[in-house]
Amino acid sequence: MPLDDTAVLLCAEVKLPDDVILIGPRGDSSQIALDKRRQIDLAGKVGFAVPPSQSFENEREILEHEVDFPVVVKPALAMRKNGASLSKERTWICSDRNELRLALADSTNGAPMLLQKYIVGEGQGLFGLATSRGVIAWSGHRRLRMMNPHGSGASACTVVEKIDADCKAAAERFVAACEWRGLFMIEMLREESGRLWFMEFNGRPWGSMALARRIGLEYPAWAAQLALEPEKNIDVRATEGYVPVCRHLGREILYLLFVLRGPRSKAVAAWPSIWRGIADVIRVGRNDRWYNWRRDDSAVFLSDCYATLRDQLLKPKYKR
């Protein structure tokens, strides 16, 4: 079971032995999982609201183009082959051409990129398990805090108690059109007006899986069962009325560091104060739960926190 985009690409590229069952995308499905250009095109066709987007083959094409700022510059491929290695470009928010030049100077040369209208809103996820009989185990999460307020995975998230019916119908059409099988996550953004925008499609386990499992939705185990027995009936029983908040210790610490550092683009008008950030992080509610915490195996919790901090803090810095 590939757990991230790197593993999705590797599993798609490597010929696995005949006796190995891949619990993840293969063939054209792996391209849908990795190519955001195809995702955006399909999302618009099935009825999702999609931010105005343009695709470019390299940085030079972007700089030669007239840009309506502010924009988000993101890699067109979730992961790509770069010679003998794999690489993934960063995502940037740009308020003007000077910020755009700085962002592109930090990108890998020759990588296909997307420019999208910058939309301010709350990150939400729509989750499910696609079978030959349709999608089962629907659920939704929303981000209470993002590790990086510019836009990133959640450091704290909770349950969406009522899934938007139009988005659910569009998601069903999306997975049917690409003949998807297995677990999936559709990342969306809800702006202040209430409108939901399609951001991307993930065909692998997602960052907030801890929250899904807290309410009884065992997506990885169910995906494994269906890979072994495609016609198996899965007994989906979420815990009704239980709305926990799941928090990631390493990401909560990084959230405070990002808040302290401040925004990196003039397009980001609203930025949390450090005192508000500290108050939010140190406040622990009755229904708060921690990612990877098990009383009988605290080593996983601590090592994951350490690895999260190490990987983020030792990343190459943005050159200004």
Side-chain angles (χ1 to χ4, degrees):
M1 180 184 290
L3 299 181
D4 58 17
D5 293 324
T6 303
V8 169
L9 177 56
L10 290 174
C11 288
E13 292 288 324
V14 174
K15 180 173 174 52
L16 298 172
D18 293 338
D19 60 346
V20 171
I21 296 176
L22 176 63
I23 308 169
R26 64 172 73 227
D28 191 58
S29 292
S30 65
Q31 298 307 308
I32 287 287
L34 295 169
D35 194 331
K36 297 177 185 179
R37 296 166 297 188
R38 293 185 62 178
Q39 295 175 14
I40 288 170
D41 181 60
L42 181 56
K45 291 177 180 177
V46 300
F48 278 110
V50 179
S53 308
Q54 292 176 291
S55 174
F56 299 90
E57 288 303 311
N58 52 52
E59 297 88 342
R60 178 181 54 78
E61 284 189 10
I62 297 177
L63 292 173
E64 292 174 352
H65 188 77
E66 189 68 29
V67 178
D68 183 18
F69 294 98
V71 294
V72 177
V73 185
K74 61 173 64 174
L77 301 174
M79 186 61 61
R80 73 184 185 101
K81 291 186 290 185
N82 185 15
S85 61
L86 301 177
S87 66
K88 178 179 181 178
E89 281 61 50
R90 297 188 187 184
T91 296
W92 303 99
I93 299 171
C94 301
S95 66
D96 53 35
R97 188 159 287 273
N98 182 54
E99 289 186 1
L100 179 63
R101 288 196 186 96
L102 289 170
L104 295 178
D106 196 65
S107 300
T108 302
N109 212 17
M113 306 291 287
L114 284 172
L115 254 64
Q116 287 187 326
K117 177 185 176 182
Y118 173 54
I119 298 172
V120 179
E122 176 189 76
Q124 295 193 4
L126 180 61
F127 312 88
L129 190 61
T131 75
S132 58
R133 303 177 299 280
V135 178
I136 62 172
W138 290 101
S139 69
H141 302 171
R142 63 186 182 90
R143 294 169 178 169
L144 299 176
R145 283 184 296 281
M146 293 184 290
M147 179 185 73
N148 182 351
H150 269 150
S152 71
S155 67
C157 57
T158 191
V159 176
V160 173
E161 296 185 72
K162 185 177 181 180
I163 297 173
D164 183 272
D166 290 338
C167 283
K168 182 178 176 180
E172 288 180 316
R173 292 191 291 269
F174 187 104
V175 297
C178 62
E179 298 182 341
W180 188 267
R181 293 293 182 269
L183 49 79
F184 67 87
M185 176 264 203
I186 295 176
E187 185 176 331
M188 296 179 293
L189 194 71
R190 185 182 291 277
E191 63 177 334
E192 191 174 347
S193 68
R195 190 176 191 185
L196 277 166
W197 296 89
F198 175 96
M199 292 290 113
E200 62 182 41
F201 176 87
N202 289 315
R204 49 162 174 76
W206 44 89
S208 59
M209 185 64 74
L211 178 56
R213 296 192 64 240
R214 285 286 184 183
I215 60 173
L217 296 172
E218 298 287 357
Y219 286 110
W222 294 339
Q225 288 177 335
L226 287 173
L228 294 167
E229 303 176 71
E231 301 305 316
K232 183 178 180 63
N233 289 319
I234 302 296
D235 184 15
V236 177
R237 294 185 185 180
T239 306
E240 295 184 5
Y242 179 45
V243 185
V245 171
C246 271
R247 304 172 60 182
H248 190 290
L249 179 59
R251 287 183 172 187
E252 289 278 65
I253 295 170
L254 288 167
Y255 166 77
L256 293 177
L257 295 177
F258 276 114
V259 169
L260 184 62
R261 188 190 69 178
R264 284 295 186 260
S265 172
K266 296 190 292 289
V268 183
W271 192 261
S273 72
I274 184 60
W275 296 114
R276 174 63 186 273
I278 291 172
D280 288 343
V281 169
I282 65 174
R283 185 187 303 116
V284 179
R286 183 178 63 182
N287 285 336
D288 285 12
R289 301 292 183 269
W290 294 101
Y291 280 45
N292 299 317
W293 170 253
R294 279 176 45 184
R295 191 179 300 275
D296 62 342
D297 195 3
S298 59
V300 173
F301 175 76
L302 295 173
S303 63
D304 176 62
C305 177
Y306 168 76
T308 300
L309 294 172
R310 178 200 61 201
D311 293 348
Q312 283 293 322
L313 295 176
L314 296 183
K315 267 186 177 180
K317 298 298 186 290
Y318 179 23
K319 301 174 186 143
R320 282 192 172 271

